[in-house]
Amino acid sequence: DVASLDKSWCNEDQIILVNALDEVMGVASVELWYRYSPDNKSWTDWILFGSGPTASASFNFTFPMGVGYYGFYSRAYDKMGNYEPALAEANARMVYDNDPPSSGITPVFSYWHCSDEIVFMAAANDILSGPARVELWYRYSADNSTWGEWILCQEGDSSFSFEMPEGVGYYQFSSLGIDFLGNSESLFPKESCRFFSADLNNDSRVD
């Protein structure tokens, strides 16, 4: 049998343990078989992943079909060459998801801003494990040429209020989606604006 899996969802290779028992002739070798489905509805035929020359063997399963649903069973040979019958159904299952979610933020209504607050709406989407949260990040430039590092502004909500913490200058914004397995997308500019002061001569009045 395939030993009980530690988890039912994962985003990295997994060690799968197979054990067999034949008290009369003894076990000669064991095999790990898998099948795959992209949608948990239509499945491939059973595929041999590997074999081991003992009654117990561990396999570093690499999820060769990519993101999706996997079923497993094992088969064994005894020392007389008898071959264990194939199962009709899997006796262990796992979902593999290493794809990052996608996310977006509402467009900045105007590139030029004299108000020191922008309200963003953000949302994330993930097909398999689902979005866990979405974050708002920004980076700043005084000259629109040299940019600072990305800085986390807020996380965990769909509505974000941004208040131009660096003052007058240029800002770029990115949402970052994270799913329930910890997969996250890359940061890149999705919106931008230039913040300027309406008080051009610093007399505490709007000019």
Side-chain angles (χ1 to χ4, degrees):
D1 286 339
V2 174
S4 296
L5 302 177
D6 292 336
K7 57 188 74 175
S8 57
W9 291 76
C10 70
N11 61 358
E12 58 187 2
D13 296 354
Q14 296 292 306
I15 300 298
I16 297 179
L17 181 64
V18 172
N19 296 309
L21 177 65
D22 187 321
E23 295 181 341
V24 178
M25 299 307 304
V27 175
S29 64
V30 292
E31 300 173 341
L32 176 66
W33 291 73
Y34 76 93
R35 64 177 183 174
Y36 167 80
S37 172
D39 55 9
N40 204 24
K41 296 178 182 178
S42 58
W43 291 84
T44 65
D45 293 332
W46 287 100
I47 301 167
L48 176 63
F49 180 75
S51 61
T54 59
S56 296
S58 61
F59 300 88
N60 181 33
F61 192 74
T62 57
F63 299 94
M65 306 291 283
V67 169
Y69 300 81
Y70 289 80
F72 305 96
Y73 70 59
S74 62
R75 300 180 72 180
Y77 281 98
D78 70 15
K79 293 180 179 178
M80 289 293 292
N82 298 309
Y83 194 23
E84 180 182 2
L87 297 179
E89 297 292 336
N91 64 6
R93 294 174 176 82
M94 186 173 288
V95 185
Y96 176 68
D97 179 13
N98 70 343
D99 278 352
S102 59
S103 68
I105 52 177
T106 50
V108 175
F109 68 87
S110 174
Y111 177 74
W112 292 86
H113 271 268
C114 62
S115 169
D116 62 358
E117 181 181 21
I118 302 177
V119 176
F120 290 99
M121 299 297 294
N125 180 61
D126 187 87
I127 295 174
L128 278 179
S129 58
R133 68 181 188 274
V134 62
E135 301 173 344
L136 177 67
W137 292 70
Y138 78 94
R139 64 180 183 177
Y140 171 80
S141 173
D143 56 9
N144 203 25
S145 177
T146 303
W147 291 88
E149 298 294 325
W150 285 103
I151 299 172
L152 175 61
C153 176
Q154 298 176 44
E155 63 178 89
D157 202 348
S158 60
S159 178
F160 303 94
S161 177
F162 186 80
E163 298 182 349
M164 312 294 183
E166 315 296 337
V168 171
Y170 301 83
Y171 292 84
Q172 292 180 336
F173 306 96
S174 179
S175 57
L176 181 73
I178 302 171
D179 69 18
F180 280 101
L181 289 175
N183 300 310
S184 63
E185 60 184 322
S186 299
L187 290 167
F188 63 92
K190 297 179 179 178
E191 292 294 330
S192 61
C193 77
R194 181 178 182 181
F195 175 57
F196 66 96
S197 173
D199 181 12
L200 300 179
N201 58 7
N202 294 316
D203 62 359
S204 300
R205 294 185 301 173
V206 175
D207 299 297

